[in-house]
Amino acid sequence: MVKHLIAPSLLAADFGNLERDIQMINNTEADWLHVDIMDGIFVPNISFGPEIVKVAKKYSKLPLDVHLMIEKPERYIETFRDAGADHISVHIEACPHLHRVIQQIKTTGAKAGVAVNPHTSIHQIEDIIEDVDIVVLMSVNPGFGGQKFIYNTINKIKALRELITTRNAHALIEVDGGVGQQNAESILQAGADVLVAGNSVFSAENPNLAVYALKNIGIRGFYA
Ligand code: DX5
Ligand code: ZN
């Protein structure tokens, strides 16, 4: 049985103790480390840039899943790849030439993802679905951690799962924002492959246990 994957989000870590927090994630059942890059333009918040990605690369045993919430991401693909990104996802809303950017990411050797805001319909990725390795479905409006899960995402996961199956595509469905023990089962049942978890892991009394609980929900296997 193929299990779903867990990607703790570094945005919720203690920035004064990044090495400690990354090592802590290394010792959990987490699969990827999710790294949120925000430019203060595409989203209202500014997080961090390639130098922090290098720090994450130095200490993380897990693949770095870099989520670019920036305008004109094509300017920085190679920079983030060189900094250590294993996966690079760009927003469809920031890319008028998405197909070109996806090819650009693949040329660097990274896995290529497209991220989709809550208001963007799944129909808009129909013509790119066969080209991407990951679809990041935003279940909050991007920009901040600790927000409430937008329930309509469940319908979008189902629609996307159907699209992927119909097209025989290989993209993984990653759900990002407001994910925790309270909704993980519904998200997985709807057809998600990867759960991003920021606050539900880093703010937990026992982050190790929080990852374990998310990882062992155990209903995967329907479409494995
Ligand atoms: C939101 C980011 C998320 C965020 C998730 O803009 O893309 O990855 O870190 O944090 P939580 O899990 O706390 O909603
Ligand atoms: Zn993210």
Side-chain angles (χ1 to χ4, degrees):
M1 184 175 105
V2 177
K3 273 212 153 202
H4 56 273
L5 307 178
I6 307 299
S9 173
L10 197 62
L11 190 67
D14 177 352
F15 289 179
N17 288 289
L18 278 181
E19 179 183 351
R20 182 201 67 190
D21 278 9
I22 294 168
Q23 305 278 18
M24 183 266 290
I25 296 299
N26 285 341
N27 294 318
T28 68
E29 284 192 44
D31 301 278
W32 300 349
L33 186 64
H34 185 81
V35 183
D36 286 311
I37 310 297
M38 303 177 180
D39 67 352
I41 299 174
F42 181 69
V43 290
N45 196 8
I46 298 177
S47 57
F48 42 74
E51 292 307 316
I52 297 291
V53 176
K54 284 184 195 163
V55 172
K57 191 64 182 177
K58 183 169 170 197
Y59 297 116
S60 181
K61 286 197 311 203
L62 305 177
L64 297 188
D65 181 48
V66 174
H67 176 194
L68 297 182
M69 283 160 275
I70 66 176
E71 289 287 351
K72 300 190 178 19
E74 64 277 7
R75 295 170 297 160
Y76 289 107
I77 302 301
E78 290 75 17
T79 306
F80 281 104
R81 176 63 175 161
D82 291 345
D86 295 282
H87 316 152
I88 299 177
S89 296
V90 294
H91 269 264
I92 185 169
E93 301 86 2
C95 294
H97 304 288
L98 180 62
H99 186 272
R100 180 183 291 145
V101 184
I102 293 296
Q103 305 314 316
Q104 185 186 352
I105 297 170
K106 287 182 165 175
T107 303
T108 69
K111 299 266 186 217
V114 59
V116 176
N117 273 340
H119 75 279
T120 302
S121 166
I122 292 304
H123 294 301
Q124 294 202 31
I125 57 171
E126 278 176 5
D127 290 320
I128 198 79
I129 192 67
E130 276 128 326
D131 296 290
V132 295
D133 301 301
I134 302 164
V135 178
V136 182
L137 278 187
M138 293 311 300
S139 38
V140 297
N141 287 296
F144 303 94
Q147 300 183 78
K148 197 170 171 294
F149 182 82
I150 297 171
Y151 198 77
N152 183 49
T153 312
I154 296 288
N155 298 325
K156 291 176 78 174
I157 300 168
K158 288 180 186 162
L160 181 56
R161 173 56 59 201
E162 206 173 308
L163 175 66
I164 290 171
T165 306
T166 312
R167 296 290 186 85
N168 205 13
H170 70 279
L172 294 176
I173 304 177
E174 178 172 358
V175 179
D176 186 8
V179 176
Q181 201 54 44
Q182 73 287 359
N183 52 21
E185 187 164 348
S186 321
I187 294 168
L188 293 170
Q189 253 159 5
D193 301 289
V194 187
L195 303 178
V196 175
N199 278 273
S200 66
V201 167
F202 284 96
S203 303
E205 213 168 294
N206 184 339
N208 197 307
L209 201 60
V211 174
Y212 177 88
L214 288 172
K215 183 74 184 174
N216 288 281
I217 282 169
I219 58 97
R220 191 75 166 84
F222 285 87
Y223 22 78

